[in-house]
Amino acid sequence: MTTWGILGTGGIAAAMTADLQLHGHTVGAVGSRTPESAARFAAAHGIPRSHGSYEELVADDDVDVVYVATPHPQHAPNALLALEAGKHVLVEKPFTMTRAEAERIASAARQRGLVALEAMWTRWLPHIVRMHEVISDGTIGDVRTVVAHHAQRLSTDPAGRMLDPALGGGALLDLGIYPVSFAWDVLGAPTTVQAASTATATGVDRQTAILLGHAGGAQSVLTCGLDARGSNDAVVVGTEGRIELDPFFFSPTSFRVLDSEDRLLERFEATVTGRGMQYQAQAMERLIAAGGAEDPRMPLSQSVEIMGTLDAVRERIGLVYPGL
């Protein structure tokens, strides 16, 4: 039996804990920066042990895998802390702030024979699994274009996390990671990266548009924004048809497959209990049971390379974070 430890007590930690417990996974402990926060979270979720520091959590002998659910700049130090303590890590997206940080996590995991996995839950959702089957069987021909949008109307409080450069704020890392990862998932590594952006008064990106070139001339057209709600859908266009993914394309949803004459070939719908984060937990436990392998749906090497793509976008738009 694999026992989970939750590092962090924010909203995403609560969502993951709920899905773990709903689907029969064991959550044995939670750690926070203060004993009070950890105790509140443990009481709210029926977790048997709470720790008033991250160091105490990763030292818990009954914890096998640590879910890192802290703000972006803490992902790398928190993941490294857990790995150094001999724990497997599932790290929230974006995996880190930079490719260099991601490489350090990958190196630490491989040296210790531990699993480090990015919590890009989308990769394991039923509609994405089926989408890849449709692409692989040639139904839509050769993929030419991926279009994906993720724009939300979020808090514009200049003191809030989303606009704070010190907390990795802005649209790109928080929201843009989904369309960028989706483009990688469908078309693989980009060969060229172009981007345009509009900044907030605090210096982070308010909205960003990304154009990626891929092998064979394929392209990805991606957008993200934080102060205006967008369509939040995606389309995979091939020479013989297309797949139209409904909002939100990165969470449990439906899609349509149409041929080049706009005839409906398939409508996919799936019933997913909970939020859908259990699929990444199942993948994590499979990897642990396999002795430290990488998951083909979200290889560690690809998480590192995706951070490199985000580094390139940041360079193109002049987005600079403190200390990086």
Side-chain angles (χ1 to χ4, degrees):
M1 181 178 68
T2 301
T3 299
W4 290 75
I6 309 298
L7 194 153
T9 55
I12 195 67
M16 180 64 173
T17 299
D19 268 4
L20 285 169
Q21 294 173 330
L22 179 64
H23 295 90
H25 300 275
T26 301
V27 180
V30 60
S32 184
R33 290 175 295 178
T34 67
E36 295 78 14
S37 176
R40 284 195 300 270
F41 192 94
H45 296 278
I47 299 172
R49 298 182 304 284
S50 65
H51 298 288
S53 73
Y54 300 148
E55 290 79 8
E56 290 178 15
L57 174 69
V58 302
D60 188 324
D61 290 336
D62 292 328
V63 168
D64 302 303
V65 54
V66 171
Y67 170 61
V68 176
T70 45
H72 312 334
Q74 279 75 61
H75 287 181
N78 293 161
L80 289 169
L81 180 72
L83 289 166
E84 288 162 4
K87 311 300 186 186
H88 306 283
V89 289
L90 177 65
V91 186
E92 256 308 324
K93 74 209 83 63
F95 194 54
T96 53
M97 292 290 289
T98 66
R99 175 175 177 157
E101 288 184 342
E103 288 174 337
R104 287 196 287 274
I105 292 175
S107 177
R110 288 166 180 154
Q111 288 174 2
R112 291 165 174 80
L114 296 168
V115 176
L117 182 66
E118 182 180 1
M120 180 48 74
W121 62 313
T122 305
R123 296 290 180 100
W124 296 276
L125 292 175
H127 73 286
I128 295 297
V129 174
R130 177 57 188 152
M131 178 196 75
H132 278 291
E133 292 172 350
V134 172
I135 294 171
S136 296
D137 68 21
T139 300
I140 64 169
D142 297 328
V143 177
R144 292 286 190 256
T145 310
V146 167
V147 181
H149 308 291
H150 188 191
Q152 305 278 10
R153 183 176 174 85
L154 303 175
S155 171
T156 55
D157 177 2
R161 179 184 70 84
M162 284 301 300
L163 297 190
D164 188 347
L167 294 178
L172 179 64
L173 294 189
D174 209 274
L175 307 174
I177 178 62
Y178 282 106
V180 169
S181 187
F182 183 72
W184 261 87
D185 192 24
V186 177
L187 289 172
T191 55
T192 60
V193 179
Q194 301 178 54
S197 185
T198 303
T200 68
T202 61
V204 299
D205 66 311
R206 186 185 78 202
Q207 63 186 73
T208 296
I210 303 165
L211 177 62
L212 303 179
H214 299 267
Q219 297 177 342
S220 297
V221 182
L222 318 170
T223 67
C224 58
L226 56 74
D227 68 349
R229 178 75 167 258
S231 61
N232 296 306
D233 54 3
V235 183
V236 179
V237 180
T239 53
E240 302 300 325
R242 66 187 184 275
I243 304 170
E244 298 179 342
L245 288 83
D246 294 321
F248 294 93
F249 75 88
F250 50 81
S251 61
T253 191
S254 52
F255 67 71
R256 292 167 301 284
V257 182
L258 299 101
D259 69 12
S260 57
E261 301 297 323
D262 288 341
R263 291 177 296 231
L264 181 66
L265 302 180
E266 177 182 343
R267 178 169 179 81
F268 178 85
E269 296 180 344
T271 299
V272 174
T273 56
R275 192 168 186 262
M277 301 176 79
Q278 67 272 18
Y279 297 103
Q280 64 184 357
Q282 293 164 4
M284 187 74 193
E285 293 190 7
R286 286 194 299 269
L287 296 177
I288 293 171
E294 293 191 17
D295 193 295
R297 294 194 183 278
M298 189 72 256
L300 182 55
S301 57
Q302 190 176 120
S303 292
V304 173
E305 295 293 338
I306 287 172
M307 290 314 306
T309 298
L310 293 175
D311 283 353
V313 173
R314 288 194 299 110
E315 189 275 331
R316 303 291 190 276
I317 65 177
L319 175 58
V320 178
Y321 289 113
L324 299 182

